[in-house]
Amino acid sequence: MKKTIDFLKRNFKLIIGIAVLVLVIAIFFAVKSKSVGLENGNLQKWTLASVEAKVSTVQSLTNNTKDADLIVQCVDKMSSFNDSGEFAVRDAIKLCNMGIQLRENN
């Protein structure tokens, strides 16, 4: 018992440092896992997002910079429909992008 107490006294700062480091890492991963990006959200989150976030999400999912504003307008229109709140943003962007590509190819 005395050896354990002596060990804890000598290494108190090290033990506290390791505990703080583990706590910081755990908080980081907890926050990161809870902050879901717009591309993994639903259309309810889309309506609350800023225009810049919408455009960057469209550009990251489609690699289509020239039609990004048109796709944002399309997804905005889809989000205004009744019962569209649970529809995935990723699916809505893909659907709008596919429609634009079909229109351009015809």
Side-chain angles (χ1 to χ4, degrees):
M1 183 72 176
K2 180 146 173 74
K3 288 183 181 181
T4 306
I5 293 173
D6 289 339
F7 175 78
L8 291 175
K9 284 182 181 178
R10 278 187 277 130
N11 297 315
F12 183 71
K13 290 180 183 178
L14 178 66
I15 293 169
I16 295 297
I18 291 172
V20 168
L21 183 64
V22 168
L23 182 66
V24 167
I25 290 171
I27 290 172
F28 172 76
F29 283 114
V31 168
K32 187 171 174 110
S33 68
K34 288 187 180 185
S35 64
V36 175
L38 190 57
E39 54 272 330
N40 293 327
N42 55 23
L43 288 182
Q44 279 181 325
K45 291 183 181 179
W46 177 268
T47 57
L48 301 174
S50 66
V51 176
E52 295 84 15
K54 292 176 182 180
V55 171
S56 68
T57 301
V58 167
Q59 289 176 348
S60 69
L61 288 176
T62 63
N63 295 326
N64 188 354
T65 58
K66 67 176 185 160
D67 294 326
D69 292 331
L70 187 59
I71 294 172
V72 168
Q73 290 174 0
C74 175
V75 177
D76 281 340
K77 183 69 173 179
M78 289 177 72
S79 68
S80 69
F81 296 147
N82 292 337
D83 299 329
S84 66
E86 295 302 318
F87 196 68
V89 170
R90 181 180 302 270
D91 295 339
I93 290 174
K94 286 182 181 179
L95 185 63
C96 290
N97 189 35
M98 187 181 304
I100 290 169
Q101 288 176 350
L102 286 173
R103 189 173 131 226
E104 289 175 354
N105 292 333
N106 285 336

